């Protein structure tokens, strides 16, 4: 009986730890939960070079808090590309309300995600971007779950980006701890981390562990991750995200 009680207490405490961050964000109104998606802000954040003023190729990766209450748990990530001399950008992302879910279309690269301002995660320019663009276009057509979307534990929009990063040589990057779904491995149990600097074990995106130079150490419980970044000291908490040294935007030389 005592063993059962301790086990239940441990489960309750762990669940409380996982939900504390999202609950705090909701209770302090740090995530917008009111309003309708159709009237939410979709303006540019001014983070991408204008096509008419910048001719070289561009590849950028953005993340923004998900819409409504889902934003307390995680972000939505997308890839924006502009070929050399192109008059516009193409966005590559998974949308829950579309079938097939993968959408590659012309759009504003750095627009707010239904009221949530984006953050720039990676920024490739010139010859490096030009080499990546056809690889990105090709990988987007090979995504293995174009007709399935699950907010939890995946496959979702972040599962798509993690899969894309693993497929594309030269697009290695660590994804935020708030990218819920990034640990969904499409039927596999073991894989290299998106940064390519370590490995992770995952059971359907519900439970797993990650050890990598760039990502640090992460524990995935019930699809929410927490961990420690050793390279750039910081704590990584469910919902809240990173606390500590800021990760720089990836800008390869």
């Amino acid at each position: 009986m005592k063993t059962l009680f301790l086990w239940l207490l441990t489960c309750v405490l762990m669940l409380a730890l996982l939900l504390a961050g999202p609950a705090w964000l909701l209770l302090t109104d740090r995530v917008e939960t009111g309003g309708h998606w159709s009237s939410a802000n979709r303006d540019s954040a001014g983070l991408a070079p204008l096509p008419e003023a910048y001719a070289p190729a561009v590849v950028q990766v953005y993340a923004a808090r998900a819409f409504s209450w889902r934003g307390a748990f995680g972000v939505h990530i997308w890839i924006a590309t502009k070929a050399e001399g192109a008059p516009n950008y193409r966005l590559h992302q998974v949308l829950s309300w579309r079938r097939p879910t993968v959408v590659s279309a012309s759009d504003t690269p750095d627009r707010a995600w239904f009221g949530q301002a984006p953050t720039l995660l990676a920024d490739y320019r010139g010859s490096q971007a030009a080499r990546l663009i056809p690889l990105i276009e090709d990988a987007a057509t090979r995504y293995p779950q174009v007709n399935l979307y699950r907010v939890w534990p995946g496959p979702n929009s972040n599962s798509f980006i993690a899969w894309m990063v693993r497929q594309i040589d030269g697009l290695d990057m660590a994804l935020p701890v708030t990218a819920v779904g990034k640990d969904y491995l499409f039927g596999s149990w073991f894989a290299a981390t998106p940064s390519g600097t370590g490995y992770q074990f995952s059971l359907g995106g519900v439970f797993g562990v990650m050890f990598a130079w760039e990502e640090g150490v992460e524990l995935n419980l019930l699809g929410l991750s927490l961990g420690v970044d050793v390279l750039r000291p910081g704590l990584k908490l469910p919902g809240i995200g990173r606390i500590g040294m800021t990760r720089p935007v990836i800008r390869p030389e």
Side-chain angles (χ1 to χ4, degrees):
M1 188 69 179
K2 183 178 180 181
T3 301
L4 177 61
F5 174 77
L6 290 175
W7 184 83
L8 290 173
L9 179 61
T10 300
C11 290
V12 170
L13 291 176
M14 186 58 67
L15 186 61
L17 174 63
L18 293 175
L19 297 179
W24 179 75
L25 292 174
L26 289 170
L27 292 173
T28 57
D29 293 326
R30 293 176 184 266
V31 174
E32 178 60 50
T33 58
H36 193 268
W37 65 266
S38 62
S39 59
N41 176 39
R42 295 285 276 150
D43 294 340
S44 167
L47 298 175
L50 298 175
E52 60 270 23
Y54 189 82
V58 178
V59 171
Q60 294 181 318
V61 183
Y62 290 95
R65 288 280 175 178
F67 178 67
S68 190
W69 62 267
R70 291 181 290 274
F73 290 87
V75 297
H76 169 77
I77 306 179
W78 65 93
I79 300 173
T81 63
K82 183 188 78 68
E84 183 176 359
N88 50 45
Y89 285 82
R90 283 173 59 79
L91 271 57
H92 308 272
Q93 59 190 324
V94 154
L95 301 177
S96 63
W97 58 89
R98 295 285 295 272
R99 295 294 182 274
T101 58
V102 177
V103 177
S104 295
S106 297
D107 205 339
T108 304
D110 55 354
R111 68 191 310 185
W113 182 253
F114 300 101
Q116 302 297 324
T119 299
L120 183 61
L121 302 180
D123 190 355
Y124 298 80
R125 305 286 180 99
S127 60
Q128 288 182 316
R131 186 187 70 81
L132 288 173
I133 289 173
L135 301 179
I136 292 170
E137 295 276 358
D138 174 67
T141 67
R142 296 187 286 106
Y143 180 59
Q145 292 286 8
V146 294
N147 293 311
L148 177 62
Y149 183 98
R150 288 192 298 243
V151 172
W152 177 91
N156 58 25
S157 59
N158 298 321
S159 310
F160 167 71
I161 296 298
W163 183 88
M164 290 279 285
V165 170
R166 288 190 179 95
Q167 295 293 308
I168 300 166
D169 181 38
L171 193 62
D172 301 329
M173 57 178 295
L175 300 182
V177 70
T178 48
V180 176
K182 66 180 175 61
D183 300 314
Y184 182 87
L185 300 182
F186 299 89
S188 297
W189 291 6
F190 187 75
T193 61
S195 73
T197 63
Y199 295 93
Q200 68 180 111
F201 167 81
S202 180
L203 292 175
V206 177
F207 171 80
V209 291
M210 175 187 296
F211 298 93
W213 182 242
E214 282 291 336
E215 283 92 347
V217 179
E218 287 189 17
L219 174 64
N220 173 14
L221 294 172
L222 301 179
L224 298 176
S225 297
L226 64 159
V228 177
D229 187 339
V230 179
L231 181 60
R232 301 173 184 86
L235 293 175
K236 304 201 291 189
L237 302 174
I240 293 173
R242 183 185 182 85
I243 298 176
M245 185 180 293
T246 303
R247 282 193 61 88
V249 176
I250 298 174
R251 289 191 171 96
E253 297 296 331

